[in-house]
Amino acid sequence: MTKPASLVLRSAQLSAEILPGVGGALSRLDWTGGAEPVPVLRPYAGADAAPRPNQLACFPLVPWSNRMAGGFSYGGERYPIAPNREGDPFPMHGEGWQRPWTVAFQSASQVLLMLERRDGAPFSYRAALDYALRGNALVVTLEVTNTGALALPFGLGLHPWMPRTAGTTLQAGARKVWMAGPDKLPSHAQAIADAWSFERERALPEGAIDNVFEGWDGRARIAWPENGLTLAIEADSGYYIVYAPPGGDFFCFEPVDHLINAHNMAGGPARHGLTILAPGQRLRRTFRFTVT
């Protein structure tokens, strides 16, 4: 097998490598404003002909984010959805991350990828994923259009993987955090304990964290004092997920527009961030990663 085709984008201060055929994912994002390139997202270091998206730097979340409890009910209908990742009992992260995307436009600093899922069940949609390098920023625009016959709840997000060093800090305010049960689905929301409060810049907790935070203002900051870089994140989303296994050399800060398992939570999907799209309607989210 041959290695998947990649595209490289460049600006004066950044370089990004994209794998359209592997979930439209980023395989690396590097700061190139110094003497040597410095990874901003965890780079893919393997040489596999078919890398798994979880090995890469970032992948899109469409038409929903994170776990869903086996499907959902909406409009009087039940829509079962099968697990899509080995070892996990629930469907994860939608499906865009597991499908090849096609290149619709490309320049030296920008690429537009497309995904057609008109035969999807229950979600039929057209997705667009735009990566653009603008000076010291990567701007990612993710969009989905409902091409099905029925109104359904849709959600979007990104799943970036960041390097974690001894001095790494995170700043990202939120109003509350959702605790998870043994099945890793949200069970209840509560006030944020001090160890998990990122209102002010602080180190990641030593113990495991894999939780969704609600009431985010869409701004975050990550700093790596070892190399002097900071990453500012801006997103038109009200939730973020932090996943950091203890002792790991990476962590994930995932900007998303809805709660985990929002399709099945009390109050209905729209109450927890999902957007009900009628046939032909479109949802768009923009994510900006600025490196200094």
Side-chain angles (χ1 to χ4, degrees):
M1 295 177 64
T2 58
K3 291 182 64 175
S6 64
L7 304 174
V8 177
L9 307 181
R10 290 187 175 88
S11 68
Q13 296 166 305
L14 293 174
S15 174
E17 184 178 27
I18 298 153
L19 303 178
V22 186
L26 276 167
S27 60
R28 62 186 309 128
L29 176 67
D30 295 334
W31 167 259
T32 57
E36 297 290 338
V38 180
V40 178
L41 300 180
R42 181 197 65 178
Y44 173 58
D48 297 359
R52 299 186 304 275
N54 280 355
Q55 296 175 303
L56 301 175
C58 181
F59 55 82
L61 304 173
V62 57
W64 80 86
S65 156
N66 213 276
R67 291 175 175 83
M68 183 196 294
F72 64 100
S73 297
Y74 187 76
E77 297 289 335
R78 178 67 187 174
Y79 300 102
I81 300 178
N84 60 350
R85 190 174 75 169
E86 184 178 355
D88 200 300
F90 300 123
M92 286 281 291
H93 296 321
E95 58 177 25
W97 64 293
Q98 294 178 312
R99 297 191 173 273
W101 296 60
T102 59
V103 179
F105 168 82
Q106 182 184 1
S107 70
S109 60
Q110 184 175 4
V111 64
L112 173 63
L113 305 180
M114 302 296 297
L115 173 62
E116 291 280 356
R117 285 289 288 141
R118 293 182 181 273
D119 58 345
F123 296 102
S124 293
Y125 61 91
R126 179 176 60 255
L129 176 60
D130 184 274
Y131 293 104
L133 295 183
R134 298 173 182 168
N136 65 335
L138 167 66
V139 181
V140 184
T141 304
L142 180 58
E143 164 182 306
V144 64
T145 301
N146 183 1
T147 58
L150 299 173
L152 287 174
F154 284 76
L156 299 174
L158 291 182
H159 197 312
W161 304 69
M162 286 80 174
R164 181 177 182 177
T165 62
T168 301
T169 59
L170 169 66
Q171 185 277 317
R175 290 197 305 270
K176 56 187 176 181
V177 61
W178 284 81
M179 307 307 293
D183 56 6
K184 298 185 179 181
L185 297 175
S187 59
H188 64 281
Q190 66 180 41
I192 301 171
D194 180 67
W196 287 5
S197 177
F198 302 106
E199 188 72 34
R200 296 179 181 273
E201 184 174 338
R202 65 178 303 150
L204 293 163
E206 293 184 3
I209 178 172
D210 186 6
N211 295 77
V212 57
F213 293 74
E214 183 176 340
W216 182 37
D217 66 1
R219 295 177 180 271
R221 182 180 184 272
I222 297 166
W224 297 277
E226 290 88 348
N227 58 31
L229 291 185
T230 63
L231 175 65
I233 301 173
E234 299 172 71
D236 50 354
S237 305
Y239 298 78
Y240 66 81
I241 298 167
V242 176
Y243 169 58
D249 61 358
F250 71 89
F251 73 103
C252 300
F253 180 88
E254 306 162 42
V256 296
D257 64 9
H258 61 283
L259 180 66
I260 295 171
N261 198 35
H263 298 77
N264 296 295
M265 299 299 285
R271 178 181 176 182
H272 299 287
L274 289 167
T275 300
I276 309 303
L277 296 183
Q281 287 188 323
R282 180 180 63 185
L283 172 64
R284 176 186 293 174
R285 300 294 182 196
T286 301
F287 311 88
R288 186 179 188 94
F289 300 85
T290 303
V291 186
T292 55

